[in-house]
Amino acid sequence: MDNTPTRPSTSAEDYVKVIYDLQERGTGPVTISGMAERLSVANSSVSSMLRKLTDLGLVEHRRYGTVSLTEAGTKAALSVLRRHRLLETYLVAELGYSWDEVHDEAEILEHVVSDKFVDRIAAHLGDPDVDPHGDPIPSAEGDIAERASVLLSDAVEGTSGVVVRVNDNDPELLRYLADIGIGIGMTVTVVERQPYAGSVQIVVRARAGADERPRSLGLVAAEALWIEPGGA
């Protein structure tokens, strides 16, 4: 007899993952409109799905209120995030994918691979803590490492730190960052904030002792980068 817990449907997994991701990135309360924008669906579609998730005990949501995950919903979200982020890591490390290619591929694979398969990937890769975009990978037990970081867009002038995380939702943005030479592990210093011009002036150093390169980032890019202040 198979005692493996039944997974939520693909749609349910997508929704709890998005809710968790929005909570994790600290962009404010999770709302129906925010989820609709992220999922590229109508508000009515989100409302309908939230009612189903509430009935399943995965979500807490009151009409016109914010959205949050229950304990069961958080567990389901961490499970699918573990699959997604380990798959991204494997695709980059073993199959030569670039960091802008893996998100959509992992979106498909995360719903069909078994937890046993993903655990084998984790063991093969040496149980990595983060994926290629710096997103923390939950353990098989659902634990996730916390790392002190701030959005580059929120960093004050003079702040220096190491890039530890990049939002992976927009492949074009990832390609842009790669083209201008900004990636995980690089040190950045905020030289000047120009909020009315919609930009942040920074200098980037790829490694210790390397030359610093000035860069001007729009706020969309700056809002997609997390740095660990003082980590330089």
Side-chain angles (χ1 to χ4, degrees), residues 5 9 14 20 29 34 39 72 89 120 144 147 159 163 167-168 174 176 201 212 219 232:
S9 68
D14 285 339
Y20 185 92
L39 291 161
T89 307
R120 292 286 180 90
I144 193 162
R147 189 170 191 177
T159 300
V163 178
N167 193 331
D168 67 346
L174 291 174
Y176 167 73
Q201 305 300 316
E212 293 185 337
L219 289 181

Side-chain angles (χ1 to χ4, degrees), residues 11-66:
S11 295
E13 286 192 332
D14 285 339
Y15 270 77
V16 295
K17 184 178 68 173
V18 164
I19 295 169
Y20 185 92
D21 191 54
L22 290 171
Q23 291 175 335
E24 183 187 30
R25 296 182 190 277
T27 54
V30 180
T31 62
I32 287 178
S33 58
M35 291 180 63
E37 180 179 359
R38 174 68 177 275
L39 291 161
S40 299
V41 298
N43 284 14
S44 58
S45 297
V46 174
S47 296
S48 176
M49 189 62 186
L50 287 177
R51 286 193 291 270
K52 295 177 183 177
L53 295 176
T54 300
D55 290 342
L56 291 171
L58 300 175
V59 163
E60 291 181 349
H61 173 249
R62 293 182 178 177
R63 194 174 184 183
Y64 306 121
T66 57

Side-chain angles (χ1 to χ4, degrees), residues 128-180:
D129 295 324
V130 296
D131 73 7
H133 311 103
D135 291 325
I137 299 173
S139 70
E141 295 73 34
D143 298 322
I144 193 162
E146 298 291 339
R147 189 170 191 177
S149 61
V150 297
L151 279 171
L152 181 59
S153 57
D154 293 336
V156 299
E157 292 179 5
T159 300
S160 290
V162 172
V163 178
V164 294
R165 192 174 187 182
V166 180
N167 193 331
D168 67 346
N169 293 324
D170 186 346
E172 288 188 12
L173 177 59
L174 291 174
R175 287 191 286 272
Y176 167 73
L177 292 172
D179 287 343
I180 64 173

